[in-house]
Amino acid sequence: MKPRNIGIIGVGQTEYTTKRDDATLTEIAREATVLALEDGKIEIKDIDAVVFSLALDSLEGMESGEKWCAGAVGGYRKPFIRVHTGGTTGGSAVHAGFFHIASGLFDCILVVGAEKMGETPDAQNVLNRIFDPIYERTVAINAVNMCSFQAVRHMKKYGTSEYQMALVAVRSRKNALKNPYAHIRGEITVEDVLNSRMICYPIKLYDCCPRSTGGCAIVMASERFIRKLNKKNVAWIKGIAGCTNSYFIGDRMDGSGINDYADAEGLFLAAKGAYQMAEIKNPGKEIDFAEIYAPFTSTELAAVEALGFCERGESGIYNEKGIFNMDGRIPINPSGGVLTANPISVTALVRVAESTIQLMERAGERQVKRARTAVATGEGGSLQFYTVTVLSNRI
Amino acid sequence: MERELIFIPQAWNIKFNHAAGEVGSAFFRAIIDRKEILGRRCPVCKRVLLPPRSYCERCFVQTDEWVKVGTEGTIQAFTIVYGRFKGLPDPPYAIAYVLLNGASTSMVNFVKGVDLEDLNEALKKIKIGSRVKVVFKRKREGRITDFWYELLKETS
């Protein structure tokens, strides 16, 4: 099905940091909203409805955080929904915004969210609680080691090395140096990564994302609305798809090799759907860059394979060849990616926002040279929920 | 902003009492009473699901058959945790997903009995493909920690 043409006309991001003691979650969400409205040169009265991107309440220490924030993001007397699919939240929120407009019922949607997990002493204490209380939680699984299980399977299946994982961290940090919004800035070497503290084998400290505070917002609109405003600089959404995998990780380790936890099968299927809508046949050639939700180096390796940028098992070698570097064939995470800023509630929204900034050719020092078609992903649950969004600066 | 910022401390101390449900309770009863691990077979795809589930999410049907699986199996994925996390055990500890004989899906639990102080030495023993056995706690109380995995002698 070919839906209405829908584009992004405004982006707002705060700088991502460890903590923000000068503002509450609601105020950070409002900052992002105001920035996005200013960027799109529209007013809050132009917004037909708000989609609020908020992930785990307990990371904020605030139950039903959408209730707290609705007014701050301009929801007063407007339709308002909150979206939550874990790490995928921002991607699902963008898709919800897309569906609002595609239905024909709305023309201009604000998708906004904020994250303030810097106020909880240990995010993994909360993230352990995303696991089944009957069978899994007391076995001390958390968001780090659930990705370790994927990493060791990828290493076993394809011969992927900790060195190849380290290359992802080095590239991300290097890219982040040119992103004024990035949380973690500071160049590191492969040796630094390999010698960093072991957290959950094979994931070491520098293979990990930080936990970040900050807000992000985008303004999405129908072609009709965009033409009326005579907007020229637009990131058009060419294709979207979501896919959900099994809840239990162990279901993806059944000895059959089908739906293997080593591979991001849900991402592969979501990408297939989004590429089909966007009429992309050869993603390795037709996609110019990608913003990928990968909170650990190993997660990115499986993701680029699932997105079709290389064959399964080849991502490590592609990293060695520099193909995903800024000057390579497909720059991955020009922003520095999730490894340099992970405000969970909006991390997947940031992927879309950063893709938009690139497609509008407003990325400054981090600008990708030939940025015409991008893919932005979301990943959440225990590598369970996936969203893929294909964007282009051509309608 | 001249004046010092104010902070409001809050703590969530909420106690839950989660029912394991009929299927979960039967699984734990078998562990407590007979030291048996039970899976549930899907009538459509025939997979033996562990942990046991009253439904198969792939086929979207109810499961109706209990299947006793083996107490030996093979490591499918593992990690050795050296990082310290609030509310979680003191490191180091090893966790693995094990495909027990006769089961179609892997089940997670701790791996005990391996010295984890030296990672490289531990990695020679805890590997994908290592054979392990289920070891039951003497006093079982209906918790997933009523059992854990230990390496079978042949691989240790």
Side-chain angles (χ1 to χ4, degrees), chain A residues 21 61-62 122 124-125 134-136 138-139 142 152-153 198-201 246-248 250-251 253-254, chain B residues 5 7 12 24 28 51 53 57-58 76 78-80 82-83 85-86 95 97 104-106 109 119 128 144:
Chain A
D21 293 338
M62 180 66 195
D122 188 340
Q124 296 306 330
N125 191 19
I134 316 295
Y135 299 113
E136 291 193 317
T138 42
V139 189
N142 58 38
V152 292
R153 281 186 78 79
M198 186 61 76
I199 306 295
C200 299
Y201 174 84
S246 68
Y247 170 70
F248 283 102
D251 286 18
M253 306 172 192
D254 62 0
Chain B
L5 294 164
F7 294 82
W12 288 16
F28 285 118
R53 273 150 275 170
E57 63 180 15
R58 289 191 191 172
Q76 301 294 318
F78 69 93
T79 185
I80 304 173
Y82 292 92
F85 301 103
K86 199 174 162 56
I95 312 171
Y97 277 87
S104 306
T105 62
S106 298
N109 220 318
L119 171 65
I128 293 176
I144 202 65

Side-chain angles (χ1 to χ4, degrees), chain B residues 120-137:
Chain B
N120 290 323
E121 283 304 310
L123 289 176
K124 287 178 189 162
K125 294 173 181 166
I126 301 175
K127 300 184 283 197
I128 293 176
S130 294
R131 295 286 297 165
V132 297
K133 62 180 177 186
V134 171
V135 177
F136 292 95
K137 219 170 156 180

Side-chain angles (χ1 to χ4, degrees), chain A residues 318-340:
Chain A
Y318 270 53
N319 273 289
E320 287 181 17
K321 288 181 179 167
I323 288 167
F324 303 133
N325 293 350
M326 280 304 276
D327 57 0
R329 186 147 54 78
I330 311 173
I332 302 290
N333 294 331
S335 67
V338 186
L339 289 175
T340 63

Side-chain angles (χ1 to χ4, degrees), chain A residues 314-362:
Chain A
E314 283 187 347
S315 57
I317 290 164
Y318 270 53
N319 273 289
E320 287 181 17
K321 288 181 179 167
I323 288 167
F324 303 133
N325 293 350
M326 280 304 276
D327 57 0
R329 186 147 54 78
I330 311 173
I332 302 290
N333 294 331
S335 67
V338 186
L339 289 175
T340 63
N342 189 6
I344 293 185
S345 289
V346 292
T347 304
L349 178 56
V350 173
R351 310 278 67 77
V352 172
E354 278 291 327
S355 298
T356 299
I357 293 167
Q358 290 284 351
L359 293 169
M360 289 177 166
E361 294 193 350
R362 291 165 34 192

